[in-house]
């Protein structure tokens, strides 16, 4: 009988489901060393946020088939290591949606009506009504930053309460915003006009300290800020200063840049203008049951030889189909990620074309993999092979599937065309004989480069000296070039240059590159 290790507290209903097909051992509070020592015995591992699944643990897991995270994020799992080992990683992308949305709404009411301080006052023997005069949310403007599942539920509830809705989400379509009753606006306008601002996006390089000192300068002095999403989106030092100086009226936080919140955090000293809760967004009885059932059922199915419905690293395909398409799925995901960054945040159209021998295969898994890559910049770990199509539909992305068996440059290749806020772009990729990925065409310019974590693309005039100028400029900023290739259609016409870099491009360097004579456009891509 298979063995399942449950290393974090899980609702009993999940244990009961696992017990139908496996021996279940519940061992919580284990040290990393203890986990590495016992993990070779197990076929499945079920965790929450307490257990950190490291590369060392994955290497030691000689018979592990699946890791199940009872929650949304998989930050505590080394997903690449698990993927290389052939271990399925699953999560519960929707199990705590309602809980998180309701907590955000509860925080909005609490900061509006001084609930926490009034409660403390009465319990300490006082009856001070004048000190706790609040404000109503009715007819106030709520700015929602991020219209994913949680943000959308907040929008529906807030609209029912008579609030006016603004939304900022560079990855959502106007059609979807209209369905929710939201006016889609730029971030600065949302900050200026909102009475309440609630955050619902993942923490990424783009969203880190999105709400900073500059943001507080343009917010209303009566504005109130709510964050039940991820810590690090708000500059906490700047928030404390803004509250103390009266630049905004209040804030309610459930998540923090460092958790637990440091004893000396400036947020603790702000007083009645802020409400702080210890990451309770998913802490409801219903949410704990939902995520336990969701993940336990997926572990059970995988142990029975069935596909998982919310795999974050490989699609829910049967083994024979997966083995044949797996290399192309990774290629499609990489190309989707690449073209999304070239086309801009809000993509409205995606054409997925299977070329050469690949045109004879089932296109759906490749389309889904392309969408997963396309949406990964916006949704991070929340998008997977199961929900990618749904997420794309909700964002109003029009998807076209085409085939062309006549293309014979490579045995099989994938061509993606995306139209977004930065225009229309195309990318093509293929696999070499050793299954190594290659990007073979960008916007009609032939190239042959392997994808790398940090890349710089330029569109420029094909003229002497321009490559040297770019190289010198990068060198002056201490940026090391790992590889470079130029593709052109005609001599002295336009050309594309692709640079693989050892490090991310420093801030401000892209604008300097755009000033180089002959440069038409330039993009950075992080894969």
């Amino acid at each position: 009988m298979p063995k399942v290790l449950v290393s974090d507290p899980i609702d009993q209903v999940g244990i009961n489901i696992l017990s139908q097909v496996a021996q279940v051992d519940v061992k919580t509070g284990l040290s990393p060393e203890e986990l590495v020592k016992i993990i070779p015995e197990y076929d499945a591992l079920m965790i929450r946020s307490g257990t950190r699944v490291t590369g060392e643990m994955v290497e030691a897991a000689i018979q592990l088939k699946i890791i199940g995270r009872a929650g949304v994020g998989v930050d505590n799992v080394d997903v690449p290591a698990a993927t290389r080992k052939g271990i399925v990683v699953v999560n519960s992308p929707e199990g705590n949606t309602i809980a998180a949305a309701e907590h955000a709404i509860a925080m909005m009411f609490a900061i509006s009506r001084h609930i926490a301080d009034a409660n403390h006052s009465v319990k300490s023997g006082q009856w001070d009504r004048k000190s706790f005069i609040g404000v109503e949310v009715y007819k106030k403007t709520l700015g929602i930053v991020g219209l994913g599942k949680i943000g959308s539920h907040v929008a529906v509830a807030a609209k029912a309460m008579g609030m006016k809705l603004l939304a900022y989400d560079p990855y959502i379509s106007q059609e979807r915003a209209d369905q929710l009753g939201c006016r889609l606006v730029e971030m600065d306008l949302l900050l200026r006009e909102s009475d309440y601002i609630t955050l619902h996006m993942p923490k990424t390089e783009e969203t880190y300290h999105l709400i900073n000192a500059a943001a507080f300068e343009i917010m209303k002095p009566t504005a109130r800020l709510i964050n039940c999403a991820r810590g690090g989106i708000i500059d906490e030092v700047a928030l404390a200063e803004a509250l103390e100086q009266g630049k905004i009226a209040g804030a309610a936080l459930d998540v923090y840049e460092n958790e637990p919140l440091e004893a000396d955090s400036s947020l603790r000293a702000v007083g009645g203008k802020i409400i702080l809760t210890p990451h309770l967004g998913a802490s409801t009885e219903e949410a704990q049951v939902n995520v336990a059932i969701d993940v336990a059922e997926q572990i059970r199915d995988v142990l029975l030889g069935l596909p998982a419905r919310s795999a974050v690293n490989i699609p829910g395909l049967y083994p024979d189909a997966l083995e044949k398409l797996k290399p192309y799925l990774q290629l499609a995901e990489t190309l989707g990620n690449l073209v999304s960054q070239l086309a801009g945040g809000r993509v409205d159209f995606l054409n997925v074309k299977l070329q050469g021998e690949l045109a004879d295969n089932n296109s759906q898994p490749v389309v889904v993999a392309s969408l997963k890559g396309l949406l990964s910049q916006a949704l991070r770990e929340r998008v997977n092979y199961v929900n990618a199509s749904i997420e794309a539909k909700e964002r109003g992305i029009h998807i076209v599937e085409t085939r062309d068996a006549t293309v014979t440059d490579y045995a099989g290749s994938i061509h993606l065309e995306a139209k977004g806020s930065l225009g229309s772009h195309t990318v093509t990729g293929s696999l070499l004989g050793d299954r190594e990925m290659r990007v073979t065409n960008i916007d009609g310019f032939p190239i042959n480069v392997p994808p790398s974590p940090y890349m710089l693309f330029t569109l420029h005039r094909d003229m002497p000296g321009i490559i040297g100028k770019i190289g010198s400029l990068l060198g002056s900023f201490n940026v090391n070039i790992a590889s470079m290739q130029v593709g052109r259609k005609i001599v002295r016409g336009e050309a594309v240059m692709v640079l693989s870099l050892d490090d991310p491009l420093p801030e401000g360097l892209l604008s300097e590159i755009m000033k180089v004579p002959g440069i038409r456009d330039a993009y950075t891509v992080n894969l």
Side-chain angles (χ1 to χ4, degrees):
M1 176 177 277
K3 294 179 65 176
V4 179
L5 173 62
V6 178
S7 60
D8 289 322
I10 300 294
D11 191 275
Q12 183 61 41
V13 66
I15 307 298
N16 294 342
I17 291 171
L18 293 173
S19 298
Q20 297 171 2
V21 297
Q23 173 188 325
V24 182
D25 294 340
V26 180
K27 300 180 180 180
T28 61
L30 298 175
S31 68
E33 294 77 17
E34 290 172 321
L35 282 166
V36 168
K37 185 177 181 180
I38 67 172
I39 199 65
E41 306 173 24
Y42 293 95
D43 301 278
L45 172 65
M46 188 171 184
I47 63 172
R48 288 184 62 194
S49 58
T51 298
R52 186 160 192 83
V53 182
T54 63
E56 182 184 6
M57 188 191 306
V58 169
E59 284 304 311
I62 57 177
Q63 61 188 46
L64 202 65
K65 299 178 180 65
I66 181 171
I67 300 167
R69 161 73 162 93
V72 177
V74 288
D75 298 359
N76 54 327
V77 179
D78 190 332
V79 177
T83 303
R84 288 192 298 269
K85 198 79 178 289
I87 300 170
V88 179
V89 181
V90 302
N91 65 350
S92 180
E94 299 183 25
N96 58 16
T97 295
I98 301 301
E102 288 185 355
H103 193 61
I105 294 167
M107 296 283 263
M108 180 170 65
F109 279 119
I111 196 63
S112 299
R113 300 304 296 268
H114 309 289
I115 301 295
D117 287 344
N119 171 67
H120 178 75
S121 174
V122 173
K123 287 186 174 179
S124 63
Q126 301 179 52
W127 191 260
D128 182 8
R129 298 174 65 191
K130 293 182 179 180
S131 297
F132 303 114
I133 296 176
V135 294
E136 297 177 3
V137 303
Y138 181 61
K139 290 189 176 180
K140 296 297 194 306
T141 298
L142 173 64
I144 305 173
V145 185
L147 271 182
K149 287 184 170 58
I150 296 173
S152 294
H153 189 76
V154 170
V156 171
K159 186 173 177 62
M161 295 186 295
M163 300 188 79
K164 302 173 184 177
L165 304 181
L166 299 179
Y168 170 76
D169 190 328
Y171 303 96
I172 209 79
S173 69
Q174 184 63 57
E175 181 183 4
R176 175 58 177 164
D178 290 342
Q179 290 173 354
L180 295 169
C182 295
R183 181 159 66 100
L184 207 57
V185 298
E186 294 301 320
M187 188 66 181
D188 280 2
L189 193 148
L190 182 145
L191 293 173
R192 291 181 191 280
E193 295 192 4
S194 297
D195 300 299
Y196 295 86
I197 297 170
T198 181
L199 308 177
H200 300 286
M201 79 284 286
K203 177 187 172 184
T204 66
E205 290 183 7
E206 292 76 21
T207 63
Y208 178 71
H209 285 189
L210 177 69
I211 307 299
N212 50 29
F216 293 123
E217 290 293 334
I218 63 176
M219 289 167 62
K220 291 181 179 181
T222 55
R224 291 168 172 83
L225 178 65
I226 300 136
N227 186 15
C228 295
R230 287 286 185 267
I233 298 174
I234 298 174
D235 182 337
E236 294 172 1
V237 174
L239 171 60
E241 292 177 356
L243 290 168
E244 290 169 352
Q245 296 170 11
K247 293 181 178 178
I248 65 171
L253 307 184
D254 186 49
V255 290
Y256 311 92
E257 191 158 343
N258 295 305
E259 297 185 5
L261 183 63
E262 302 99 323
D264 61 350
S265 168
S266 55
L267 296 175
R268 294 181 183 270
V270 172
K273 290 186 176 182
I274 194 168
I275 290 177
L276 307 174
T277 56
H279 205 147
L280 300 178
S283 296
T284 66
E285 294 178 3
E286 294 87 350
Q288 298 309 305
V289 170
N290 289 341
V291 296
I293 291 174
D294 189 2
V295 174
E297 286 181 345
Q298 293 187 75
I299 292 175
R300 177 200 63 195
D301 290 349
V302 168
L303 292 178
L304 291 173
L306 302 172
R309 59 177 176 265
S310 294
V312 301
N313 58 342
I314 59 175
L317 295 174
Y318 288 93
D320 54 345
L322 176 60
E323 186 60 32
K324 183 177 182 180
L325 282 177
K326 190 190 308 184
Y328 283 106
L329 298 181
Q330 183 59 52
L331 173 65
E333 185 175 338
T334 300
L335 294 176
N337 191 346
L338 171 57
V339 79
S340 75
Q341 295 182 62
L342 295 177
R346 184 179 297 140
V347 173
D348 303 312
F349 171 86
L350 178 69
N351 179 19
V352 181
K353 182 188 291 185
L354 277 60
Q355 302 181 151
E357 294 178 2
L358 195 59
D360 297 327
N361 287 268
N362 178 10
S363 64
Q364 185 58 27
V366 178
V367 172
V368 171
S370 302
L371 289 172
K372 182 176 183 293
L374 189 81
L375 296 170
S376 63
Q377 291 293 317
L379 300 178
R380 302 292 166 173
E381 73 274 2
R382 288 185 294 152
V383 63
N384 55 50
Y385 287 94
V386 174
N387 66 11
S389 296
I390 298 172
E391 296 285 356
K393 183 177 180 180
E394 289 182 349
R395 281 158 175 75
I397 300 174
H398 181 59
I399 304 159
V400 174
E401 303 172 30
T402 56
R403 301 167 184 269
D404 188 352
T406 64
V407 176
T408 57
D409 291 347
Y410 296 87
S413 60
I414 299 169
H415 175 84
L416 303 183
E417 177 190 4
K419 296 177 182 178
S421 55
L422 295 181
S424 178
H425 289 271
T426 64
V427 298
T428 307
S430 188
L431 301 174
L432 298 187
D434 56 0
R435 293 190 170 184
E436 184 179 357
M437 289 188 290
R438 284 289 192 276
V439 180
T440 59
N441 197 288
I442 295 285
D443 291 334
F445 293 91
I447 57 173
N448 191 328
V449 296
S452 63
Y454 309 110
M455 305 181 78
L456 170 65
F457 294 80
T458 68
L459 176 65
H460 61 273
R461 282 172 48 207
D462 182 24
M463 54 188 282
I466 196 167
I467 295 174
K469 290 177 182 177
I470 297 297
S472 297
L473 185 56
L474 291 173
S476 68
F477 278 77
N478 198 33
V479 176
N480 196 44
I481 300 173
S483 67
M484 182 211 61
Q485 188 171 124
V486 175
R488 64 184 185 179
K489 300 175 184 177
I490 60 173
V491 177
R492 302 278 180 164
E494 287 191 328
V496 162
M497 178 165 56
V498 183
L499 299 173
S500 296
L501 310 175
D502 288 337
D503 301 290
L505 212 64
E507 187 174 353
L509 180 51
L510 192 63
S511 59
E512 293 299 316
I513 291 172
M514 289 294 297
K515 297 176 184 177
V516 174
I519 293 291
R520 311 282 199 207
D521 218 338
Y523 306 89
T524 56
V525 170
N526 297 330
L527 296 176

